[in-house]
Amino acid sequence: MSRQYTLHRAHPPAGSAIDYAADLNEQQYAAVTAPPGPLLVIAGAGSGKTRTLTYRVAYLLENGVDARNILLLTFTNKAARQMLDRVANLLPVDATGIWGGTFHAIGNRMLRRHGSALGYSSGFTIMDREDQKDLIATVVANSGIDPKEIRFPKSDVLVDLFSFAVNTERPMEELLAEKFPYFLPLLEQIKDVHARYERKKKATNSLDFDDLLEKTLRMLVEHEHIARFYRRQFQFILVDEYQDTNKIQADFIDILAAEHKNVMVVGDDAQSIYSWRGANFQNILEFPKRYPDAQLFKIELNYRSVPEILEVANSAIAANIQQFKKNLSATRDSKAVKPALVALNDGSEQSQFVAQRVLELRDEGVELSDIAVLYRSHYHAVELQLELARRGIPYQITSGVRFFEQAHIKDVAAFVRFVANPRDEVAFKRMVRLLPGIGGKSAENLWSAWETSINEKGEVDSWTARLLQLNVSARSKKPWEQLAHTLEEMAPAGKPNSPSEMITSVVEAIYDDYAKANFINYELRREDLNQLAAFARQFANAQEFLSQLALISNVDAEPAPNAAADNEALNLSSVHQAKGLEFHTVFVIWLTDGMFPSTRSLETREAVEEERRLFYVAITRARDELYLTYPHMRLNAGYGDVFQRPSRFLREIPNQLLEDWQVRRA
């Protein structure tokens, strides 16, 4: 019979190096100094979440916990390094033994040590995305799938599809039925490719990024002695941004904390906005159910925003049923300026208002780089980008590529460019390479044949007759015929339709099928293309439309009036990409039902609540000034101007918390 022996915590040294009560507010202090056990810390926006985690690590070390017994899980390695650097600055102790990093980094360390239990040697290769695509393409080529018969998902799409299935721990058929129903007829082929892909990785001693967590969890589940080893090592587990964890990450934490339960998770349920990439809101919501003895701490003192903005934020999130109720309170003094509610006639006037007000703020001394315009989806900023370019206001897209520079926008625009100018070689090659069986060399040969078939003026009286004279492979024959018919529909007898009609023809006849096979976020890209068609309605002909696209894409904006010589620029960003950032002034645009919240989110209460959390995140990015704008009308590709209802989220904010701005033209 084994003997039970208990190790007691060492007493803290006399005269702690840190005065926790002086360095922390009461709410932070309570969480940092809590006794061992499961701890859920709900840290509101701007409340010092990172400070709380950092001081908790320091507190554990000061109370005799060995650095090797602490596991700190974050969503970026940079965040882990910053926290551990701060700990090192707080304490004269060696904290290098702490295991700190992302879930995947920790999984990698475990698999390097014990991966042989699953048949992997310690020298396994970690594939990047390009490696994954290449390996999947090889698997598809050897699986007997005939691309002439079916438009099978491209490697890019399969990488994301397999990743989503792994991280949500959902069966492929369930995942396809809910999110990608157009792939359901290919279910068995997709499952077969996935199985072959897994076998190929094993045979080549290779892992992809998702394996670093999925295989680690499987190893812990299937090999109890390994799980026991890490449970004994990690006596205290701390998790940052817990609201963003997915199912597999939550399971990973739970299996490591199964015995000692010393797990502190820190996050904000009101900022859980990433379900579309696999984050599971129920993880943070149901933490007290999985850990019945959990203590709940709320950190509600906000160091970022003025009281007027926080009052709006508290009201904005209040309607959510599934949440930990909290009330952000300000540490900053009031500025006696209420957030503005601004109704505009249409999207064009909204853009003019934002541009003019931005320049006024610049004259008032607010740096352009400290101003942000936030929106629900990328296409909401189309008209604004045009207006900023016209006025010479420099801007940067926080979320990356500008709207008109995205691949799917440029793809569809290539068709319009070619119809407007049949001698446009770049547009021709981009267009034909979208068709099955046509690569770079084929496109070059086809261009040479096309170029010799048209006159110097580039006039085309019959697209069908001209294009069908060119030779293409058997695989490309039907798509080529469809291309000819589509171009004929876009410009009957050589006379181009309106740019909006041309875009609709391309999307419906050709690009929709292409996008489904090539983009995992097909629905979002389809929304972009619908908006492109709507945007094009304001232009009389293709040349005018394409000229405006070129203006936005290629013109280097002149410095704004009185702008410094540096690269100061206005920030444009989706709300998702702005999470974690803050600005002096924030504009939230297109606050109408169907835009924000989005149309697709209106089907379920859960989806509406996530949209409301997204709105809350947008509001809490602002420190000093907030503008909430909505147009009464917007252009629609098929119906012209349509009336818009103000967002339901605006109607939930008491009138007295907002200042109503009446905009009129001079």
Side-chain angles (χ1 to χ4, degrees):
M1 182 176 178
S2 61
R3 176 184 295 187
Q4 301 296 317
Y5 183 84
T6 303
L7 282 175
H8 298 283
R9 285 191 303 158
H11 293 292
S16 173
I18 303 172
D19 187 343
Y20 292 93
D23 289 357
L24 305 168
N25 65 44
E26 288 185 13
Q27 295 171 342
Q28 293 169 337
Y29 179 80
V32 165
T33 60
L39 310 173
L40 172 59
V41 181
I42 302 298
S47 66
K49 167 182 63 66
T50 300
R51 187 177 185 83
T52 301
L53 267 175
T54 301
Y55 273 76
R56 176 65 175 180
V57 173
Y59 183 78
L60 293 174
L61 293 171
E62 274 209 309
N63 278 270
V65 177
D66 193 302
R68 292 169 297 180
N69 297 137
I70 298 174
L71 173 62
L72 174 62
L73 291 164
T74 60
F75 272 80
T76 65
N77 287 314
K78 179 181 177 182
R81 286 195 301 271
Q82 288 176 339
M83 286 189 210
L84 296 180
D85 286 346
R86 291 181 189 179
V87 170
N89 291 330
L90 288 172
L91 288 175
V93 298
D94 183 7
T96 56
I98 295 175
W99 278 43
T102 65
F103 286 88
H104 296 90
I106 300 301
N108 177 49
R109 290 182 68 176
M110 291 183 176
L111 287 172
R112 296 290 182 191
R113 284 182 167 190
H114 298 102
S116 58
L118 296 179
Y120 293 92
S121 74
S122 61
F124 61 77
T125 298
I126 300 175
M127 299 187 297
D128 62 18
R129 187 179 180 89
E130 289 304 311
D131 296 332
Q132 285 181 265
K133 288 166 55 180
D134 291 344
L135 189 58
I136 289 175
T138 300
V139 168
V140 172
N142 295 330
S143 65
I145 295 171
D146 186 355
K148 296 178 184 177
E149 295 182 4
I150 57 174
R151 189 184 276 274
F152 199 69
K154 294 295 190 294
S155 297
D156 244 343
V157 173
L158 291 172
V159 167
D160 289 328
L161 195 58
F162 296 163
S163 176
F164 202 84
V166 166
N167 286 294
T168 58
E169 297 182 344
R170 296 175 64 186
M172 189 65 71
E173 48 267 45
E174 181 182 306
L175 181 61
L176 295 185
E178 180 181 328
K179 292 189 171 293
F180 315 103
Y182 42 88
F183 288 149
L184 267 177
L186 305 173
L187 172 62
E188 293 308 316
Q189 292 100 317
I190 290 174
K191 289 170 69 174
D192 178 60
V193 168
H194 192 204
R196 289 169 180 261
Y197 173 58
E198 290 296 319
R199 292 196 295 270
K200 195 75 170 175
K201 286 188 295 181
K202 187 71 170 289
T204 57
N205 196 39
S206 301
L207 297 175
D208 61 34
F209 193 64
D210 295 310
D211 288 327
L212 297 178
L213 194 51
E214 190 268 334
K215 297 294 188 289
T216 304
L217 181 60
R218 188 200 303 175
M219 179 180 71
L220 296 175
V221 170
E222 295 178 357
H223 300 277
E224 176 58 27
H225 68 286
I226 300 177
R228 194 182 313 118
F229 173 85
Y230 285 110
R231 287 191 196 114
R232 288 177 176 173
Q233 177 174 347
F234 300 134
Q235 293 296 311
F236 289 86
I237 300 172
L238 300 93
V239 188
D240 189 20
E241 301 285 9
Y242 188 69
Q243 78 280 347
D244 293 335
T245 55
N246 58 35
K247 179 68 166 62
I248 201 169
Q249 289 165 333
D251 290 346
F252 177 71
I253 295 163
D254 290 349
I255 199 169
L256 291 176
E259 293 177 9
H260 55 71
K261 311 288 188 186
N262 292 329
V263 54
M264 170 190 269
V265 300
V266 181
D268 184 3
D269 59 296
Q271 297 185 68
S272 179
I273 58 174
Y274 295 116
S275 66
W276 52 276
R277 68 182 188 197
N280 190 341
F281 177 61
Q282 296 303 317
N283 288 347
I284 192 167
L285 203 66
E286 296 184 353
F287 185 85
K289 293 182 181 178
R290 296 203 313 280
Y291 294 86
D293 298 328
Q295 296 183 73
L296 173 63
F297 297 91
K298 295 181 181 180
I299 304 178
E300 300 168 297
L301 278 176
N302 177 286
Y303 292 88
R304 177 185 301 157
S305 307
V306 294
E308 292 79 8
I309 290 175
L310 294 183
E311 287 179 352
V312 171
N314 289 329
S315 297
I317 198 65
N320 270 12
I321 296 172
Q322 289 192 304
Q323 67 166 310
F324 293 103
K325 292 286 187 181
K326 60 181 173 296
N327 190 68
L328 294 179
S329 56
T331 58
R332 294 182 58 194
D333 294 334
S334 169
K335 289 187 66 176
V337 176
K338 293 180 180 180
L341 178 63
V342 190
L344 291 311
N345 287 330
D346 53 27
S348 176
E349 188 171 274
Q350 177 178 244
S351 298
Q352 293 169 38
F353 167 77
V354 171
Q356 179 174 311
R357 187 68 190 121
V358 162
L359 291 177
E360 290 169 352
L361 287 163
R362 182 69 182 83
D363 290 340
E364 294 167 14
V366 182
E367 299 280 340
L368 286 180
S369 58
D370 209 10
I371 305 173
V373 182
L374 305 183
Y375 37 81
R376 173 63 181 83
S377 297
H378 291 299
Y379 69 81
H380 294 179
V382 174
E383 290 167 298
L384 178 59
Q385 289 185 45
L386 181 60
E387 185 65 27
L388 295 174
R390 285 171 178 159
R391 296 190 184 220
I393 301 175
Y395 66 93
Q396 61 181 0
I397 310 292
T398 305
S399 46
V401 182
R402 298 183 179 208
F403 180 85
F404 294 107
E405 295 168 359
Q406 296 177 99
H408 54 296
I409 301 297
K410 295 183 74 172
D411 286 345
V412 171
F415 288 80
V416 181
R417 285 174 53 186
F418 182 63
V419 167
N421 176 18
R423 297 164 67 187
D424 188 331
E425 179 178 355
V426 173
F428 177 89
K429 290 179 177 177
R430 185 177 189 114
M431 176 180 70
V432 300
R433 283 199 303 267
L434 297 173
L435 305 181
I438 298 180
K441 187 172 182 179
S442 299
E444 183 69 44
N445 293 335
L446 286 167
W447 170 252
S448 297
W450 170 260
E451 193 176 25
T452 59
S453 73
I454 58 174
N455 58 38
E456 291 183 1
K457 294 183 179 180
E459 296 171 338
V460 178
D461 51 0
S462 172
W463 296 95
T464 304
R466 290 292 180 87
L467 285 170
L468 295 184
Q469 290 176 359
L470 306 187
N471 293 321
V472 295
S473 66
R475 180 187 175 192
S476 304
K477 189 171 180 55
K478 285 187 177 178
W480 189 259
E481 291 174 352
Q482 180 62 64
L483 171 64
H485 293 314
T486 301
L487 293 175
E488 193 71 60
E489 181 180 299
M490 294 170 67
K495 297 179 180 178
N497 290 330
S498 72
S500 181
E501 290 174 318
M502 286 197 281
I503 291 168
T504 300
S505 295
V506 174
V507 172
E508 292 181 351
I510 294 177
Y511 202 76
D512 197 59
D513 286 340
Y514 173 85
K516 286 177 180 177
N518 284 274
F519 303 120
I520 196 73
N521 58 347
Y522 154 75
E523 291 182 345
L524 293 177
R525 294 185 189 245
R526 181 60 195 262
E527 283 184 1
D528 284 349
L529 294 170
N530 290 343
Q531 179 60 26
L532 181 68
F535 174 74
R537 285 183 62 89
Q538 61 189 292
F539 303 105
N541 55 58
Q543 285 79 12
E544 186 182 344
F545 168 69
L546 293 169
S547 295
Q548 292 300 330
L549 260 62
L551 172 68
I552 297 172
S553 299
N554 300 320
V555 173
D556 291 324
E558 294 296 326
N562 302 321
D566 60 13
N567 294 322
E568 184 190 1
L570 175 68
N571 298 284
L572 307 187
S573 177
S574 68
V575 183
H576 285 105
Q577 292 290 336
K579 185 175 177 290
L581 304 177
E582 60 180 71
F583 306 91
H584 176 280
T585 300
V586 168
F587 294 82
V588 188
I589 63 173
W590 278 111
L591 283 165
T592 62
D593 272 358
M595 299 286 270
F596 199 165
S598 68
T599 302
R600 286 181 291 111
S601 72
L602 300 178
E603 297 174 0
T604 66
R605 191 199 70 198
E606 289 77 13
V608 171
E609 292 206 351
E610 177 155 341
E611 291 286 296
R612 191 177 285 112
R613 295 195 294 270
L614 193 62
F615 181 48
Y616 173 84
V617 167
I619 292 170
T620 54
R621 298 311 93 200
R623 296 196 304 268
D624 295 271
E625 293 190 36
L626 174 67
Y627 297 84
L628 307 175
T629 73
Y630 67 94
H632 289 299
M633 293 183 295
R634 77 178 175 101
L635 279 172
N636 183 286
Y639 307 100
D641 290 337
V642 292
F643 283 104
Q644 300 288 285
R645 291 171 58 88
S647 172
R648 62 194 63 197
F649 301 153
L650 293 176
R651 300 195 294 271
E652 293 167 354
I653 300 172
N655 292 335
Q656 65 269 23
L657 299 183
L658 299 170
E659 182 178 35
D660 186 27
W661 283 37
Q662 300 293 323
V663 176
R664 58 183 178 82
R665 291 187 177 275

